[in-house]
Amino acid sequence: MTVLVLGGAGYVGSHAVAMLVEKGYDVAVVDNLVTGHREAVPADVRFYEGDVRDHSFLASVFEKENIEGIMHFCAYSLVGESMQKPLMYFNNNVGGAQVILETMQEFGVKHIVFSSTAATFGIPEHSPISEKTPQKPINPYGESKLIMEKMMKWQSEATDMTYVALRYFNVAGAKDDGTIGEAHKNETHLIPIILQTALGQREFITIYGDDYNTPDGTCIRDYIDMEDLIDAHIKALEYLKAGGKSDQFNLGSSKGYSNLEVLETARKVTGHAIPSQMGERRPGDPDELVADSTKAGEILGWKVQHDLEHIITNAWKWHQSHPKGY
Ligand code: NAD
C-alpha cells in the first residue's frame, strides 16, 4: 500500500517523502513543480508531474497506485501574494482540494492528512492558540485553508473518508544531513532570510518593530522543526488508519521565540555577525502567535523533540551546502 504525497517536491512535502521512505513506507509523489523542485524527490520514488486540479491526470495516478492514504501539501501559501491575487489562491487551493476529494471518493481512498495553517486564526485575542480559538482569517490564503478544512469536514460527515488537519505555525529546519531544505523563490520566512544574510547574499536583516508587548519588544512566533512536523503527519496517518476519527490539531513548539532570540541563536550557530537593522512595525503583526499543542500530544501522542538551535543548525547545513538552492 502506498502513501501518495501531493506537493511532495515542495519544502515540507519533500521532507515528508524522505521520512516516509526512511520509515519503510511505499511512497508516490504528485507535483506540478510550480514552486517545487524535482531534485528534492529521490530518483527512485515514483513521481507524477501534473496538476491536482486536472481530474483525468489525478485519476490516472489513482488508477496506477494502490493508495492507503494521502498527505496534502500542494497549495499556494504566500500571504502577501494572496492579497494581490485572491482568485488564484481560491482556484488552486480550494479548487485543488475539491478535485482531490472527488477522486478519493471515486477510488475509495479513505484517509487524508492535510497541511493547514495558523493563518486560519487571523489575529487571535489570546495566545497560546488552541483548537477552541475561533478561526477568523484575515487574508485570502488563510481563508482558502479554512474553506479546505470545512470541505474535508463536510465530506467526512457525508462519507467514510476521514481526515486530520494539522495547522502549523512557522515551519523551519531541514533534513539533518543537509541534502534537502528550504528553497522558495520569493523567500518570506525569517530563518532562511537570516541565513542568507549570514552567507552574504543579503546585506542585512530588517526586524520589523521593537515596541511590541513582549519582553524584548520584538514579535514572538512559534517555530516547529521539520522533523517534528513530519513526525506529526506520520502519527496522524497512523491514527486515521487505526480508525481514529476526523480531527484538527494545532502544531507548534508551544514555546515562542522573539525575532531577536532567533537572530541571536543564528549568530551563535553560524558564527557570523549577521548585520541587522530595526524597521517599522508591519500592519497586522500581532505581538505573539504561539500554538497550544496539548491536544496533539494527548490524541496523537506527538511531542516536540527539537529546539530552535537544532532547527537553525540543520537549516544552516542546508544553506551552506546549497547556497543557490537546488
Ligand atoms: P511549497 O510551495 O514549497 O510546496 C508546495 C508544493 O505543492 C510545491 O512543490 C508545488 O509545486 C506543489 N503544488 C502547488 N500547487 C499544485 C497543484 N495544483 N498541483 C500539483 N502540485 C502543486 O510550500 P511549503 O512551504 O512546502 O508548504 C506546504 C504546505 O504547508 C502548504 O499547503 C502550506 O500552506 C502549508 N504550510 C506551510 C508553512 C510553512 O511555514 N512553510 C506553514 C503553515 C502551513
Side-chain angles (χ1 to χ4, degrees), residues 22 42 87 90 141 246 260 302:
E22 268 172 26
L87 297 182
F90 291 114
Y141 166 56
S246 294
L260 283 181
W302 178 75

Side-chain angles (χ1 to χ4, degrees), residues 10-12 31-32 34-36 51-52 74 92 141 145 171 184:
Y11 173 43
V12 185
D31 202 297
N32 65 358
V34 62
T35 54
D51 196 304
V52 297
C74 54
N92 196 34
Y141 166 56
K145 288 272 169 163
V171 188
H184 290 125

